Amino acid sequence: MNSPAGGPESRARTLSQKPHVVFYTKPGCHLCDEAKREIERAGGRDLYTFEEVNILNDPDLRRRYGTDIPVVVINGTHAFKHRLTAEEFRKKIVSSLGFRVKTISCL
């Protein structure tokens, strides 16, 4: 039996289709703080899922990124390193949604 539109299965499919953003960071990183502010300033928080990862909690991540942070990965693809702007982040999110938007000021 199929779930009605908007039912739990439909909602799970919709959620899984959202871009997944992974933000690699560590405490005391001023570039990380700036990047996170830009991500928040970009708006559109309901368009993607967000995961913040402290690289100090994982030896492999610490070796991989060290002081080369922040790193932003969208759907498994490195999107940003060190710096980003709200506008650049919005463009990447919209692009990863698979459609073009004339104006993204509403995000």
Side-chain angles (χ1 to χ4, degrees):
M1 179 177 191
N2 292 339
S3 291
E9 288 177 18
S10 174
R11 180 182 153 111
R13 256 192 324 275
T14 301
L15 289 176
S16 69
Q17 292 173 355
K18 289 182 178 183
H20 183 64
V21 176
V22 181
F23 183 74
Y24 292 101
T25 185
K26 70 179 179 181
C29 169
H30 74 280
L31 288 177
C32 300
D33 295 340
E34 290 174 17
K36 191 167 181 186
R37 276 193 299 273
E38 287 298 302
I39 290 171
E40 291 168 357
R41 197 169 71 81
R45 184 60 186 90
D46 59 333
L47 297 176
Y48 59 92
T49 58
F50 185 83
E51 177 183 1
E52 185 169 338
V53 177
N54 179 347
I55 66 165
L56 299 181
N57 293 334
D58 183 318
D60 290 333
L61 292 176
R62 190 176 325 146
R63 273 191 299 279
R64 181 183 306 160
Y65 296 117
T67 59
D68 218 13
I69 54 172
V71 172
V72 177
V73 175
I74 300 174
N75 290 339
T77 301
H78 281 79
F80 300 99
K81 181 167 66 171
H82 301 158
R83 297 184 187 277
L84 62 97
T85 66
E87 181 68 17
E88 291 168 334
F89 183 76
R90 277 193 297 268
K91 285 180 182 178
K92 289 279 189 180
I93 292 299
V94 168
S95 173
S96 66
L97 286 167
F99 60 86
R100 300 223 180 258
V101 177
K102 270 191 175 177
T103 177
I104 54 176
S105 61
C106 63
L107 297 180

